[in-house]
Amino acid sequence: MSPATVIREVGLRDGLQSIATIVSTAHKIEWLNAAYAAGQREIEVGSFVPARLLPQLADTVEVLAHALTLQGLTASVLVPNLQGAERAIDSGAHLMVVPLSASHAHSLANLRKTPDEVVAEVARIRAARDAAGSRTLIEGGVGTAFGCTLQGEVAESEVLRLMQALLDAGADRVSLADTVGYADPVGVQRLFEKARALVGERLACAHFHDTRGMGLANAYAAWQTGITRFDACLAGIGGCPHAPGASGNVTTEDLAFMLERMGVATGLDVPALLALRQRVQGWLVGETLHGTLWQAGLPRTLAPALA
Amino acid sequence: MSPATVIREVGLRDGLQSIATIVSTAHKIEWLNAAYAAGQREIEVGSFVPARLLPQLADTVEVLAHALTLQGLTASVLVPNLQGAERAIDSGAHLMVVPLSASHAHSLANLRKTPDEVVAEVARIRAARDAAGSRTLIEGGVGTAFGCTLQGEVAESEVLRLMQALLDAGADRVSLADTVGYADPVGVQRLFEKARALVGERLACAHFHDTRGMGLANAYAAWQTGITRFDACLAGIGGCPHAPGASGNVTTEDLAFMLERMGVATGLDVPALLALRQRVQGWLVGETLHGTLWQAGLPRTLAPALA
């Protein structure tokens, strides 16, 4: 039976991409195996971008190949363009996430394309996928959906328009991301309700950062609208190179604990995630990690049930 | 016009009581004045407990006397028993908060009384208040309402029974507190809805700790049930001496920012709170502070409106 919610681990991609310390392929595979053993069944393993731009993710093809050996694991990669998508298709990734910034300014700075040029690229990616007879799913990830460090406010109408445009261009599903930590729970509820009214279950995932401490509050607000898939990073690593101060994805182990404590099954072994965090911490000496559960520990009342 | 929500500052009491560094009376008065200037209109200024037990709060009578000179400020104190309540009445405090632990084990460890003995004490406090012709309000603060580090689970029925018993004994209103950081937003929603159904607006305040990162999520969940008053501590200081690892109240400036970002007026000047945090930090060298907004800063999109 599937758990009620899925936490998609994006630490190996969104987390590591902003970390200076290069993590070896062997350690990434160790992370993958331990995350899988802790119950994680959806993992973003890397990004098909030029290795010179992101040396940290240069081994994505190797990490993905290992991920594909893990029974029942949905392995996703980020692809910024058609070239990346072709590599994802060739490698047999289950899912490729194509990022789009609803903020025009952030889109130009981060992707060097306008949002509508990204939509056009998704149409080309869909054509390539279909031509290859591939089953790699396409997810359009709408970022800076709640505001932008560069341009300020981002209109909800623009977020919804681009989300629909991605689906019209051939994306199988979409997600909404607070790339820079601007979202609040009331805004999350409003936008996710509108988005679900528009595209239903094709709105597949919520991606929050904890920049101003609202990551879990926002996840809760999204969950209340019916969202059951959340991106998160072990140890809360991650950020955005074009969003100064916007570091820190929602922390996997904290989110898992909150959901379990809420009575919402995640399929995850929280103590095993805490143990994995400790191993990963050992590979990231000098890097800033986040999260609270590792410090406070499991509460007495829940510890036996979770252990 | 009153703001839509009130953040009651409890940093001078709940925050400082677990801080080793003694803050001078002059600094406390500086804090009070700056908090008042930043828009705070409800402040818990100290505790009427024996000075030998809590030297940090030995100057409560002086701090309260100053607070009473600030026009429109509701000054509250914590009182553990009749002796403390008599001092609060004599000093002219606007409100006294009588703590009760719904956890029997925590109650004995922390208050050296059973919960029902605390209810009986509230009846004596009410009689003393009325006999004195005083207008000092009595708030019964039901703590460990979501679980306890000592006894584990705390039954909702017991929390509700004790809350009603406090009102029956003469408390003017009650509050619910997650003293040890065990609450999750679904549990908050459930208990606050039941409590409001039972006692309506006499449930006056929500008190959360951020021990496992859920402080803001819990505040949001309580707000959704109609609660409009929240305890919080500047810089997230505070904890509970009988709850190891349970340090950190919800952070005033983070909560204020979340509410304002939600479009819910607090009457607070968030940049002024951040400036005050910096001053208080200078008095608490070596102490562990909390919070996120001071690190990330105000988002570009909101900074002009708040500044």
Side-chain angles (χ1 to χ4, degrees), chain A residues 214-279:
Chain A
M214 282 184 259
L216 292 181
N218 291 335
Y220 175 64
W223 176 80
Q224 286 185 304
T225 72
I227 290 288
T228 56
R229 182 180 286 103
F230 302 91
D231 284 349
C233 285
L234 193 76
I237 57 176
C240 172
H242 293 278
S247 62
N249 279 267
V250 164
T251 301
T252 301
E253 61 275 20
D254 287 7
L255 177 58
F257 174 70
M258 181 178 83
L259 290 166
E260 291 284 339
R261 181 82 175 130
M262 282 162 51
V264 177
T266 61
L268 298 175
D269 176 341
V270 177
L273 290 174
L274 287 170
L276 174 56
R277 178 200 165 97
Q278 206 159 6
R279 282 155 79 180

Coordinates of all heavy atoms in Angstrom, one line a residue, chain A residues 214-279:
Chain A
M214 N 9.3 29.4 7.6 CA 8.0 29.0 7.3 C 7.8 27.8 6.5 O 6.7 27.4 6.0 CB 7.3 30.2 6.6 CG 6.8 31.3 7.5 SD 5.9 32.5 6.6 CE 7.1 33.8 6.4
G215 N 9.0 27.0 6.2 CA 8.9 25.9 5.4 C 7.9 24.9 5.8 O 7.1 24.4 5.0
L216 N 7.8 24.5 7.1 CA 6.9 23.5 7.5 C 5.5 24.1 7.6 O 4.5 23.3 7.2 CB 7.3 23.0 8.9 CG 8.6 22.1 9.0 CD1 8.8 21.7 10.4 CD2 8.5 21.0 8.0
A217 N 5.3 25.3 7.9 CA 4.0 25.9 7.9 C 3.4 25.9 6.5 O 2.2 25.7 6.3 CB 4.0 27.4 8.5
N218 N 4.3 26.2 5.5 CA 3.8 26.2 4.1 C 3.5 24.8 3.6 O 2.5 24.6 2.9 CB 4.9 26.9 3.2 CG 5.1 28.3 3.5 OD1 4.1 29.0 3.9 ND2 6.2 28.9 3.2
A219 N 4.3 23.8 4.0 CA 4.0 22.4 3.7 C 2.7 22.0 4.3 O 1.9 21.4 3.6 CB 5.1 21.5 4.2
Y220 N 2.4 22.4 5.5 CA 1.1 22.1 6.1 C 0.0 22.7 5.4 O -1.0 22.1 5.1 CB 1.1 22.6 7.6 CG -0.2 22.4 8.3 CD1 -0.7 21.1 8.5 CD2 -0.9 23.5 8.7 CE1 -1.9 20.9 9.1 CE2 -2.2 23.3 9.4 CZ -2.7 22.0 9.5 OH -3.9 21.8 10.1
A221 N 0.2 24.0 5.0 CA -0.9 24.7 4.2 C -1.1 24.0 2.9 O -2.3 23.9 2.4 CB -0.5 26.2 4.0
A222 N -0.1 23.6 2.2 CA -0.2 22.9 0.9 C -0.9 21.6 1.1 O -1.8 21.2 0.4 CB 1.1 22.7 0.2
W223 N -0.5 20.9 2.2 CA -1.2 19.6 2.5 C -2.7 19.7 2.7 O -3.5 18.9 2.3 CB -0.5 19.0 3.7 CG -1.1 17.7 4.2 CD1 -0.9 16.4 3.7 CD2 -2.1 17.5 5.3 NE1 -1.7 15.5 4.4 CE2 -2.4 16.2 5.3 CE3 -2.7 18.4 6.2 CZ2 -3.3 15.7 6.3 CZ3 -3.6 18.0 7.1 CH2 -3.9 16.6 7.2
Q224 N -3.0 20.8 3.4 CA -4.4 21.1 3.6 C -5.2 21.2 2.3 O -6.4 21.0 2.3 CB -4.6 22.3 4.5 CG -4.3 22.1 6.0 CD -4.6 23.3 6.8 OE1 -4.1 24.4 6.5 NE2 -5.4 23.1 7.8
T225 N -4.6 21.7 1.2 CA -5.3 21.8 0.0 C -5.3 20.5 -0.8 O -5.9 20.4 -1.9 CB -4.6 22.9 -0.9 OG1 -3.4 22.4 -1.4 CG2 -4.4 24.2 -0.2
G226 N -4.7 19.4 -0.3 CA -4.7 18.1 -0.9 C -3.4 17.7 -1.6 O -3.4 16.6 -2.1
I227 N -2.4 18.5 -1.5 CA -1.1 18.1 -2.0 C -0.5 17.0 -1.2 O -0.5 17.0 0.1 CB -0.1 19.3 -2.0 CG1 -0.6 20.3 -3.1 CG2 1.3 18.9 -2.3 CD1 -0.4 19.9 -4.5
T228 N 0.0 15.9 -1.8 CA 0.6 14.8 -1.1 C 2.0 14.5 -1.4 O 2.6 13.5 -1.0 CB -0.3 13.5 -1.3 OG1 -0.3 13.3 -2.7 CG2 -1.7 13.7 -0.8
R229 N 2.6 15.3 -2.3 CA 4.0 15.1 -2.6 C 4.8 16.4 -2.3 O 4.4 17.5 -2.7 CB 4.2 14.7 -4.1 CG 5.7 14.4 -4.4 CD 5.9 14.0 -5.9 NE 5.5 12.6 -6.1 CZ 4.3 12.3 -6.8 NH1 3.5 13.3 -7.2 NH2 4.0 11.1 -7.0
F230 N 5.9 16.3 -1.6 CA 6.7 17.4 -1.2 C 8.2 17.1 -1.5 O 8.7 16.1 -1.2 CB 6.6 17.6 0.3 CG 5.2 17.9 0.8 CD1 4.4 16.8 1.2 CD2 4.7 19.2 0.8 CE1 3.1 17.0 1.6 CE2 3.4 19.4 1.2 CZ 2.6 18.3 1.6
D231 N 8.9 18.1 -2.1 CA 10.3 18.1 -2.2 C 10.9 18.4 -0.8 O 10.4 19.3 -0.1 CB 10.8 19.1 -3.2 CG 10.6 18.6 -4.6 OD1 10.2 17.4 -4.8 OD2 10.8 19.4 -5.6
A232 N 12.0 17.8 -0.5 CA 12.8 18.2 0.7 C 14.2 17.7 0.6 O 14.5 16.8 -0.2 CB 12.1 17.6 2.0
C233 N 15.1 18.3 1.4 CA 16.5 17.9 1.4 C 16.9 17.4 2.8 O 16.6 18.1 3.8 CB 17.4 19.1 1.1 SG 17.4 19.6 -0.6
L234 N 17.5 16.3 2.8 CA 18.1 15.8 4.1 C 19.0 17.0 4.6 O 19.8 17.6 3.9 CB 19.0 14.6 3.8 CG 19.4 13.8 5.0 CD1 18.3 13.0 5.6 CD2 20.6 12.9 4.7
A235 N 18.9 17.2 5.9 CA 19.7 18.2 6.6 C 19.5 19.7 6.1 O 20.2 20.6 6.4 CB 21.2 17.9 6.5
G236 N 18.4 19.8 5.3 CA 18.0 21.2 4.9 C 19.0 21.9 4.0 O 19.0 23.1 4.0
I237 N 19.8 21.1 3.4 CA 20.8 21.8 2.5 C 20.1 22.4 1.2 O 19.0 22.0 1.0 CB 22.0 20.9 2.1 CG1 21.5 19.6 1.4 CG2 22.8 20.5 3.3 CD1 22.6 18.7 0.9
G238 N 20.8 23.2 0.5 CA 20.2 23.7 -0.7 C 20.0 25.2 -0.7 O 20.0 25.8 0.3
G239 N 19.7 25.7 -1.9 CA 19.5 27.1 -2.0 C 19.3 27.5 -3.5 O 18.9 26.6 -4.3
C240 N 19.7 28.7 -3.8 CA 19.6 29.1 -5.2 C 20.7 30.1 -5.4 O 20.8 31.1 -4.7 CB 18.2 29.8 -5.4 SG 18.1 30.6 -7.1
P241 N 21.6 29.9 -6.4 CA 22.7 30.8 -6.6 C 22.3 32.2 -7.0 O 23.1 33.1 -6.7 CB 23.5 30.1 -7.8 CG 22.5 29.1 -8.4 CD 21.6 28.7 -7.3
H242 N 21.1 32.4 -7.5 CA 20.6 33.7 -7.8 C 19.7 34.3 -6.8 O 19.0 35.2 -7.1 CB 20.0 33.7 -9.2 CG 21.0 33.4 -10.3 ND1 21.9 34.4 -10.8 CD2 21.4 32.3 -10.9 CE1 22.7 33.8 -11.7 NE2 22.4 32.5 -11.8
A243 N 19.7 33.7 -5.6 CA 18.8 34.2 -4.6 C 19.6 34.3 -3.3 O 19.6 33.4 -2.5 CB 17.6 33.3 -4.4
P244 N 20.4 35.4 -3.1 CA 21.2 35.5 -2.0 C 20.5 35.4 -0.7 O 19.4 35.9 -0.5 CB 21.8 37.0 -2.1 CG 21.5 37.4 -3.5 CD 20.3 36.6 -4.0
G245 N 21.0 34.6 0.2 CA 20.4 34.4 1.5 C 19.2 33.5 1.5 O 18.6 33.3 2.6
A246 N 18.9 32.9 0.4 CA 17.7 32.0 0.3 C 18.1 30.6 0.5 O 17.5 29.7 -0.1 CB 17.1 32.3 -1.1
S247 N 19.1 30.3 1.3 CA 19.5 28.9 1.4 C 18.6 28.1 2.3 O 17.8 28.7 3.1 CB 20.9 28.9 2.0 OG 20.9 29.5 3.3
G248 N 18.6 26.8 2.1 CA 17.8 25.9 3.0 C 16.5 25.5 2.4 O 15.5 26.1 2.5
N249 N 16.5 24.3 1.8 CA 15.2 23.6 1.5 C 14.6 23.1 2.8 O 15.2 23.0 3.8 CB 15.5 22.4 0.6 CG 15.7 22.7 -0.8 OD1 14.7 22.7 -1.6 ND2 16.9 23.1 -1.2
V250 N 13.3 22.8 2.7 CA 12.6 22.2 3.8 C 13.4 20.9 4.1 O 13.9 20.2 3.2 CB 11.2 21.8 3.5 CG1 10.6 20.8 4.4 CG2 10.3 23.1 3.4
T251 N 13.6 20.6 5.4 CA 14.4 19.5 5.9 C 13.6 18.2 5.9 O 12.6 18.1 6.5 CB 15.0 19.8 7.3 OG1 15.7 21.0 7.3 CG2 15.8 18.7 7.8
T252 N 14.2 17.2 5.2 CA 13.5 15.9 5.0 C 13.0 15.3 6.3 O 11.9 15.0 6.5 CB 14.4 14.9 4.2 OG1 14.8 15.5 3.0 CG2 13.7 13.6 4.1
E253 N 14.0 15.2 7.2 CA 13.7 14.5 8.5 C 12.7 15.3 9.3 O 11.8 14.7 10.0 CB 15.0 14.2 9.2 CG 15.8 15.3 9.7 CD 16.8 15.8 8.6 OE1 16.6 15.6 7.4 OE2 17.8 16.5 9.1
D254 N 12.7 16.6 9.3 CA 11.8 17.4 10.0 C 10.4 17.3 9.4 O 9.4 17.2 10.1 CB 12.2 18.9 10.0 CG 13.4 19.2 10.9 OD1 14.0 18.2 11.5 OD2 13.7 20.4 11.1
L255 N 10.3 17.4 8.1 CA 9.0 17.3 7.4 C 8.4 15.9 7.6 O 7.2 15.7 7.9 CB 9.2 17.5 5.9 CG 8.0 17.4 5.0 CD1 6.8 18.3 5.5 CD2 8.3 17.7 3.6
A256 N 9.3 14.8 7.5 CA 8.8 13.5 7.8 C 8.2 13.4 9.2 O 7.2 12.8 9.4 CB 9.9 12.5 7.6
F257 N 9.0 13.9 10.1 CA 8.5 13.8 11.5 C 7.2 14.6 11.7 O 6.2 14.1 12.3 CB 9.5 14.4 12.5 CG 9.1 14.5 13.9 CD1 8.9 13.3 14.6 CD2 8.7 15.7 14.5 CE1 8.4 13.4 15.9 CE2 8.2 15.8 15.8 CZ 8.1 14.6 16.5
M258 N 7.1 15.8 11.1 CA 5.8 16.5 11.2 C 4.6 15.7 10.7 O 3.6 15.6 11.3 CB 5.9 17.9 10.6 CG 4.6 18.7 10.7 SD 4.6 20.4 10.0 CE 4.3 20.0 8.2
L259 N 4.8 15.2 9.5 CA 3.7 14.5 8.9 C 3.3 13.2 9.7 O 2.2 13.0 9.9 CB 4.1 14.1 7.4 CG 4.2 15.2 6.4 CD1 4.9 14.8 5.2 CD2 2.8 15.8 6.1
E260 N 4.3 12.5 10.1 CA 4.1 11.3 10.9 C 3.4 11.7 12.2 O 2.4 11.0 12.7 CB 5.4 10.5 11.3 CG 6.0 9.8 10.0 CD 5.2 8.6 9.6 OE1 4.5 8.0 10.4 OE2 5.4 8.2 8.4
R261 N 3.8 12.8 12.8 CA 3.2 13.2 14.1 C 1.8 13.7 13.8 O 0.9 13.6 14.7 CB 4.1 14.4 14.6 CG 3.6 15.0 16.0 CD 4.1 14.2 17.2 NE 3.7 14.9 18.4 CZ 3.1 14.2 19.4 NH1 2.8 13.0 19.3 NH2 2.8 14.9 20.5
M262 N 1.5 14.2 12.6 CA 0.1 14.6 12.2 C -0.7 13.4 12.0 O -1.9 13.5 11.7 CB 0.2 15.4 10.9 CG 0.6 16.9 11.1 SD 1.2 17.7 9.6 CE -0.2 17.4 8.5
G263 N -0.1 12.2 12.0 CA -0.9 11.0 11.7 C -1.0 10.7 10.2 O -1.8 9.9 9.7
V264 N -0.1 11.3 9.4 CA -0.1 11.1 7.9 C 1.1 10.3 7.6 O 2.3 10.7 7.7 CB 0.0 12.5 7.2 CG1 0.1 12.3 5.7 CG2 -1.2 13.4 7.6
A265 N 0.9 9.1 7.0 CA 1.9 8.1 6.8 C 2.8 8.6 5.7 O 2.4 9.1 4.6 CB 1.4 6.8 6.4
T266 N 4.1 8.5 5.9 CA 5.1 8.9 4.8 C 5.9 7.6 4.3 O 6.6 7.7 3.3 CB 6.2 9.8 5.4 OG1 6.9 9.1 6.5 CG2 5.6 11.1 6.0
G267 N 5.7 6.5 5.0 CA 6.5 5.3 4.6 C 8.0 5.4 5.0 O 8.8 4.6 4.7
L268 N 8.3 6.5 5.8 CA 9.7 6.7 6.1 C 10.0 6.3 7.6 O 9.2 6.4 8.5 CB 10.0 8.2 5.9 CG 9.9 8.7 4.5 CD1 10.1 10.2 4.5 CD2 10.8 8.0 3.6
D269 N 11.3 5.9 7.7 CA 11.8 5.5 9.0 C 12.6 6.7 9.5 O 13.8 6.9 9.1 CB 12.7 4.3 8.8 CG 13.5 3.8 10.1 OD1 13.6 4.6 11.0 OD2 13.9 2.7 10.1
V270 N 12.0 7.5 10.4 CA 12.6 8.8 10.8 C 14.0 8.6 11.5 O 14.9 9.3 11.2 CB 11.6 9.6 11.6 CG1 12.3 10.9 12.1 CG2 10.4 10.0 10.8
P271 N 14.1 7.6 12.5 CA 15.4 7.4 13.1 C 16.5 7.0 12.0 O 17.6 7.5 12.1 CB 15.1 6.3 14.0 CG 13.7 6.4 14.4 CD 13.0 6.8 13.1
A272 N 16.1 6.3 11.0 CA 17.1 5.9 9.9 C 17.5 7.2 9.2 O 18.6 7.3 8.8 CB 16.5 4.9 9.0
L273 N 16.5 8.1 8.9 CA 16.9 9.4 8.3 C 17.8 10.2 9.1 O 18.8 10.8 8.6 CB 15.6 10.2 8.0 CG 14.7 9.6 6.9 CD1 13.4 10.5 6.8 CD2 15.4 9.6 5.6
L274 N 17.6 10.2 10.5 CA 18.5 10.9 11.4 C 19.9 10.3 11.3 O 20.9 11.1 11.3 CB 17.9 10.9 12.8 CG 16.7 11.8 13.0 CD1 16.1 11.6 14.4 CD2 17.1 13.3 12.9
A275 N 20.0 9.0 11.2 CA 21.3 8.3 11.2 C 22.0 8.7 9.8 O 23.2 8.9 9.8 CB 21.1 6.8 11.3
L276 N 21.2 8.7 8.8 CA 21.8 9.1 7.5 C 22.3 10.5 7.5 O 23.3 10.8 6.9 CB 20.7 8.9 6.4 CG 21.1 9.3 4.9 CD1 22.4 8.7 4.5 CD2 20.0 9.1 4.0
R277 N 21.5 11.4 8.1 CA 21.9 12.8 8.2 C 23.3 12.9 8.8 O 24.1 13.7 8.4 CB 20.9 13.6 9.1 CG 21.3 15.0 9.3 CD 20.6 15.7 10.5 NE 21.4 16.9 10.8 CZ 21.0 18.1 10.4 NH1 19.9 18.3 9.7 NH2 21.7 19.2 10.6
Q278 N 23.5 12.1 9.8 CA 24.8 12.1 10.5 C 25.9 11.7 9.6 O 27.0 12.3 9.6 CB 24.7 11.2 11.8 CG 25.7 11.6 12.9 CD 25.3 11.1 14.2 OE1 24.3 10.3 14.3 NE2 26.0 11.5 15.3
R279 N 25.7 10.7 8.7 CA 26.7 10.3 7.8 C 27.0 11.4 6.8 O 28.1 11.7 6.5 CB 26.3 9.0 7.1 CG 26.4 7.7 7.9 CD 25.5 6.7 7.5 NE 26.0 5.9 6.3 CZ 25.3 4.9 5.8 NH1 24.1 4.6 6.3 NH2 25.7 4.3 4.7

